[in-house]
Amino acid sequence: MQDTIERHTISAVVDNESGVLARVIGLFSGRGYNIDSLTVSEVDRDNGISRINIVTTGTPMIIEQIKAQLDRLVPVHRVADLTVQGPHIERELALLKVRNSGEKRVEALRIADIFRARAVDATDRSFVFEITGSASKIDAFADLMRPLGLVDMSRTGVAAISRGPDEI
Amino acid sequence: MSNNAMTGAEILIKALTDQGVDTIFGYPGGAVLPIYDALFKQNSIRHILVRQEGGAVHAAEGYARSTGKPGVVLVTSGPGATNAVTGLTDALMDSIPIVCLTGQVATHMIGNDAFQECDTTGITRPCTKHNYLVRDAADLARVVHEGFYVATNGRPGPVVIDIPKDIQINTADYTPPEKVRHRTYRPRVKGDLEKIREAVEMIANAERPVFYTGGGIINAGPKASALLTQFVRMTGYPITNTLMGLGGYPASDRQYLGMLGMHGSYEANWAMHDCDVMICIGARFDDRVTGRLDAFSPKSKKIHIDIDPSSINKNVRVDLPIIGDAAHILEDMIRIWKAGARQVDPARIEPWWRQIDIWRARNSFAYEQTDKLIKPQRAIEALYDKIKDRDPYITTEVGQHQMWAAQLFKFESPNRWMTSGGLGTMGYGLPAAMGAQIAHPDKLVVDIAGEASIMMNIQEMSTLAQYKLPVKIFILNNQWMGMVRQWQELMHGKRYSESYVESLPDFVKLAESFGAVGLKAETPDEMDSLIDEMIAVDRPVIADVRVDPAENVYPMVPSGAAHNEMILGNEAGAESPQATDQGLALV
């Protein structure tokens, strides 16, 4: 038995019909699979197609099961394991609210600059930063902002796509 | 909208008719009244009025399992739908094609906690293969056609179509089935030929092979059973069937090792354990078959043929998976086998058969012969002897009687055996027998039951009476929830907590009150004449057969043990591996 826990990014192309997200979430909770991140959005309005991106962890056997179980759902067109397929890009967007004053304001702006985060809202005692990148980059940015007065954060979850010319 | 516009209820009836539906099992209520009104005005579909919605789904399962056609259920919103949930889950676990139509409150009321409202699609999402909420009468016909397609193609399963009351009344045009093609769902039917060749190669070169086949053979149709039988005989190899797969291969055949698993035969489980090539077709390596996973068939290469890719490598890692329909793949296998002019050298597998015969000689289903008490196994064997030539349809409830029936009743053809395998639903047998009898009015249908299980859907006696269905209910009455008692005896220090069934009804009087015939036997002699009488009567019968209350089902693989570690009964030279501490946590 291989017991190593792996992290995989899986994308599913699904019919944009009511209940499809509930089916996916119910599958994960009902069978005890992990969801680290899950995003869903319509990607083809004319054909009513949505894309779901899931970051999950499990043993190789569990990951295989997750893909087979997803593929078995009736409204699912295709399932792709981006982690297995090769190079791919993962991006997440986060909005972070930092409340502070004095030196900490200057420091927050300086770190935001290093991370290429943009201030999208400012008051005399707060900023909202917008940052895009990998989940780990956002984690790192949030860690640095915490002692500088981080009070609120909203993250989109991971959007992912393969590199190169091929579609999913 | 054209002049041919019909109401939703009329569209539904037309769609069902176009799908070849001749029978619906249902129960009316407020949210399906327009559909019942449309049913009243037509003659092509027969409605069978059950006494509780749970009975409707099991009846539809019995109908489906005994015919190969999908079973259709019609129930109202709220409690009608929630009562159907057990049957839906049962059909999902055992891959039975069911289309369940549920009424729903009008679309503008949904979400308002209206009278008899429940979130039917939400509740049934995890217990159906797929479900729909129809929001426009113009979609209804398409959804019904799609529903039948999904229920019957690929791995079969239950589909719920939730139809709000206003949709049943609104008018729209009808969409015929030819115009409906599913957008996404196209299960693979033909197997990969390269892999099939590889499998044939492995099979041809095996020294200790075993076929292990399940309900997938039954679901692939009678042709799959015929092809399986042909192929297994061509190879001369041994075969074992799962509980759901009984009848997929003729049980009286010499190559048949009996059922495998927790209460399977000694030879079947040992052959599975010691084999070098395992050919699994339409079975799913469930825990009742594998026992402790790390000790399951350690020396074998495993071929797994299944229509559902998620069954592959779910519990047991296999060496050669082939996705597709069992009948198609068996057909290809036979063709490739013949094309290679392959022949199994009898000398090569002779030592394997010699070993199997040694295991067989343990006679693991043996039981004490006595003329004082009716042994439950004796009751099954007597029943089998007296009805085997009538091509009977057998259903069961769940528990000891179910296992004895599976061990001792020999099924020669598919679609004759209906039991709740995956979910283990007590109360399944009577309504399932009802459905089988509706589908086969001239056949003998017997529900082999326990006195505890039969009480769970006893209200369906009234349905038997209404439709004059001559179902025979053969109760092995030991006054205990026998399987619970057996586990308490073996694993919980004989502390028989709440497993004694007190205050049982007088089953003879109970039968008579429903217009059925009640019979009772307390000695082996009485039992023999009871069976004769039961078969002779052309009415529903409850036969109350008082059996030895202390009898246990053997062999038994205790929970947590390996599948070759079986407790045997005294007659088979008792062996008693103990349940492990971890095993105590297993069901």
Side-chain angles (χ1 to χ4, degrees):
Chain A
M1 291 277 159
Q2 298 155 288
D3 289 315
T4 50
I5 301 290
E6 298 177 354
R7 177 179 181 278
H8 283 241
T9 303
I10 295 167
S11 288
V13 177
V14 302
D15 274 340
N16 183 18
E17 62 177 37
S18 78
V20 66
L21 183 60
R23 277 178 219 287
V24 170
I25 292 171
L27 169 66
F28 275 74
S29 64
R31 292 186 183 267
Y33 305 145
N34 299 312
I35 301 178
D36 288 1
S37 160
L38 185 146
T39 62
V40 55
S41 197
E42 192 170 59
V43 290
D44 179 349
R45 180 162 296 171
D46 293 343
N47 294 304
I49 299 287
S50 291
R51 179 172 174 135
I52 296 177
N53 299 296
I54 302 163
V55 180
T56 183
T57 51
T59 62
M61 222 160 145
I62 294 286
I63 299 284
E64 283 306 310
Q65 265 297 301
I66 289 173
K67 288 185 276 184
Q69 293 289 352
L70 277 174
D71 208 20
R72 195 159 83 121
L73 295 177
V74 170
V76 170
H77 292 247
R78 276 188 302 287
V79 176
D81 186 338
L82 298 177
T83 305
V84 170
Q85 281 185 351
H88 65 279
I89 299 156
E90 291 183 20
R91 288 290 181 273
E92 190 176 355
L93 184 144
L95 298 170
L96 293 89
K97 184 174 286 183
V98 183
R99 192 163 63 211
N100 53 18
S101 58
E103 267 309 299
K104 287 188 172 177
R105 271 174 82 78
V106 182
E107 181 67 1
L109 282 170
R110 206 173 63 79
I111 290 171
D113 192 42
I114 294 169
F115 277 79
R116 294 170 207 269
R118 291 196 303 142
V120 290
D121 177 68
T123 67
D124 56 353
R125 50 201 187 96
S126 72
F127 290 114
V128 173
F129 292 111
E130 173 194 315
I131 180 169
T132 310
S134 67
S136 59
K137 175 183 167 185
I138 292 170
D139 288 345
F141 184 63
D143 285 347
L144 288 171
M145 283 297 158
R146 207 155 279 125
L148 300 175
L150 177 66
V151 290
D152 211 357
M153 174 156 66
S154 179
R155 298 174 70 151
T156 58
V158 172
I161 204 160
S162 63
R163 288 188 185 272
D166 296 332
E167 61 191 312
I168 182 172
Chain B
M1 200 178 299
S2 73
N3 298 332
N4 320 334
M6 303 155 72
T7 68
E10 289 164 351
I11 288 174
L12 176 66
I13 302 293
K14 172 121 180 75
L16 294 173
T17 312
D18 282 354
Q19 287 293 334
V21 174
D22 53 21
T23 309
I24 294 181
F25 301 90
Y27 202 102
V32 282
L33 284 176
I35 299 174
Y36 273 84
D37 200 41
L39 271 173
F40 191 82
K41 296 177 194 158
Q42 57 84 49
N43 286 317
S44 55
I45 297 173
R46 184 182 186 200
H47 179 272
I48 304 297
L49 176 67
V50 298
R51 296 304 186 264
Q52 203 254 24
E53 291 86 350
V57 189
H58 294 319
E61 287 185 277
Y63 177 94
R65 194 82 177 157
S66 67
T67 59
K69 296 198 292 186
V72 182
V73 177
L74 172 59
V75 297
T76 194
S77 62
T82 55
N83 277 343
V85 164
T86 300
L88 293 169
T89 313
D90 192 275
L92 183 72
M93 292 285 269
D94 286 346
S95 310
I96 313 291
I98 297 290
V99 174
C100 178
L101 310 161
T102 55
Q104 181 56 276
V105 300
T107 42
H108 70 274
M109 307 277 282
I110 290 177
N112 287 352
D113 298 328
F115 177 64
Q116 291 197 327
E117 181 187 356
C118 74
D119 176 8
T120 301
T121 48
I123 290 170
T124 60
R125 201 171 285 128
C127 66
T128 52
K129 182 172 171 186
H130 196 54
N131 63 14
Y132 301 85
L133 172 60
V134 183
R135 293 175 179 278
D136 185 341
D139 291 338
L140 180 56
R142 175 186 58 81
V143 168
V144 172
H145 299 317
E146 256 190 46
F148 274 85
Y149 171 80
V150 169
T152 53
N153 281 272
R155 180 173 176 178
V159 167
V160 162
I161 304 175
D162 200 24
I163 312 172
K165 196 169 182 182
D166 53 332
I167 303 298
Q168 300 167 29
I169 297 167
N170 292 350
T171 54
D173 284 340
Y174 179 70
T175 311
E178 312 82 75
K179 293 210 171 146
V180 177
R181 186 162 183 272
H182 201 281
R183 264 163 68 99
T184 52
Y185 189 62
R186 301 242 197 299
R188 177 169 191 158
V189 177
K190 293 288 278 180
D192 180 333
L193 275 179
E194 242 352 273
K195 288 186 167 182
I196 296 175
R197 279 197 196 94
E198 208 181 313
V200 167
E201 199 61 31
M202 280 167 73
I203 295 167
N205 293 316
E207 288 177 8
R208 298 185 312 281
V210 67
F211 283 90
Y212 148 48
T213 71
I217 292 286
I218 315 291
N219 279 331
K223 191 181 168 199
S225 296
L227 290 164
L228 173 71
T229 307
Q230 187 191 349
F231 189 51
V232 171
R233 286 190 176 146
M234 280 162 70
T235 60
Y237 293 170
I239 174 169
T240 176
N241 287 166
T242 68
L243 179 69
M244 296 308 295
L246 298 180
Y249 187 86
S252 58
D253 194 87
R254 199 193 76 87
Q255 284 168 251
Y256 183 62
L257 306 184
M259 181 176 76
L260 81 167
M262 183 174 270
H263 295 294
S265 77
Y266 193 71
E267 56 270 32
N269 284 337
W270 267 105
M272 287 285 285
H273 184 269
D274 276 11
C275 65
D276 69 341
V277 174
M278 180 185 293
I279 309 121
C280 169
I281 311 177
R284 57 187 177 91
F285 295 93
D286 89 293
D287 55 88
R288 283 297 185 271
V289 159
T290 61
R292 202 176 71 235
L293 272 175
D294 60 10
F296 176 70
S297 193
K299 289 166 270 188
S300 61
K301 292 274 183 202
K302 299 172 186 76
I303 301 166
H304 189 184
I305 297 167
D306 206 292
I307 199 155
D308 178 3
S310 78
S311 284
I312 307 290
N313 293 335
K314 183 168 63 181
N315 302 324
V316 171
R317 194 156 271 287
V318 298
D319 301 278
L320 180 60
I322 308 177
I323 305 298
D325 174 80
H328 282 90
I329 292 172
L330 278 162
E331 202 165 24
D332 284 337
M333 277 186 156
I334 292 170
R335 193 170 44 75
I336 291 167
W337 182 277
K338 282 182 175 164
R342 291 173 195 281
Q343 290 208 313
V344 174
D345 174 11
R348 198 181 70 240
I349 57 163
E350 198 269 340
W352 179 230
W353 271 115
R354 209 170 339 125
Q355 176 59 60
I356 287 172
D357 286 337
I358 293 169
W359 292 324
R360 227 178 211 170
R362 290 299 285 267
N363 197 10
S364 59
F365 294 156
Y367 56 93
E368 188 197 345
Q369 301 291 337
T370 164
D371 49 15
K372 293 192 190 74
L373 286 166
I374 302 175
K375 286 286 177 180
Q377 300 97 323
R378 164 88 216 289
I380 301 283
E381 287 189 325
L383 178 70
Y384 171 70
D385 284 336
K386 285 181 188 288
I387 69 174
K388 64 181 170 192
D389 297 330
R390 294 165 175 260
D391 189 23
Y393 289 73
I394 305 294
T395 71
T396 73
E397 310 288 335
V398 168
Q400 287 185 318
H401 66 274
Q402 177 192 29
M403 290 299 110
W404 284 314
Q407 290 178 339
L408 300 167
F409 207 100
K410 297 190 180 70
F411 294 92
E412 305 297 316
S413 354
N415 305 106
R416 299 298 187 278
W417 164 250
M418 283 136 282
T419 197
S420 171
L423 194 63
T425 310
M426 291 170 73
Y428 168 90
L430 169 52
M434 220 158 75
Q437 187 80 75
I438 291 279
H440 308 276
D442 301 323
K443 294 287 189 177
L444 177 62
V445 180
V446 181
D447 170 26
I448 297 176
E451 81 294 334
S453 280
I454 195 65
M455 294 298 285
M456 286 213 180
N457 269 322
I458 195 70
Q459 77 286 347
E460 298 305 331
M461 285 304 296
S462 181
T463 312
L464 294 187
Q466 180 176 345
Y467 297 96
K468 302 190 168 47
L469 302 173
V471 167
K472 318 300 181 202
I473 301 163
F474 190 72
I475 303 177
L476 302 184
N477 184 349
N478 59 9
Q479 298 185 50
W480 289 89
M481 292 163 208
M483 195 57 92
V484 174
R485 187 199 54 68
Q486 175 166 342
W487 280 54
Q488 288 173 335
E489 177 185 329
L490 298 175
M491 275 162 262
H492 294 274
K494 302 190 180 181
R495 290 178 295 279
Y496 298 122
S497 181
E498 302 293 328
S499 54
Y500 184 70
V501 186
E502 289 203 37
S503 307
L504 280 171
D506 178 331
F507 283 108
V508 173
K509 284 188 183 156
L510 180 78
E512 285 164 359
S513 75
F514 282 109
V517 176
L519 303 170
K520 183 172 162 185
E522 287 175 308
T523 66
D525 288 345
E526 284 174 14
M527 181 186 68
D528 287 336
S529 51
L530 173 144
I531 295 172
D532 292 332
E533 213 177 324
M534 176 178 93
I535 312 167
V537 182
D538 187 28
R539 285 166 61 193
V541 174
I542 297 182
D544 181 7
V545 181
R546 299 302 179 93
V547 298
D548 181 355
E551 192 64 41
N552 285 339
V553 182
Y554 296 117
M556 178 179 184
V557 177
S559 39
H563 63 140
N564 61 336
E565 296 172 356
M566 286 164 270
I567 306 176
L568 293 179
N570 285 330
E571 304 303 306
E575 280 176 20
S576 297
Q578 292 299 307
T580 62
D581 286 347
Q582 285 121 330
L584 272 183
L586 304 172
V587 288

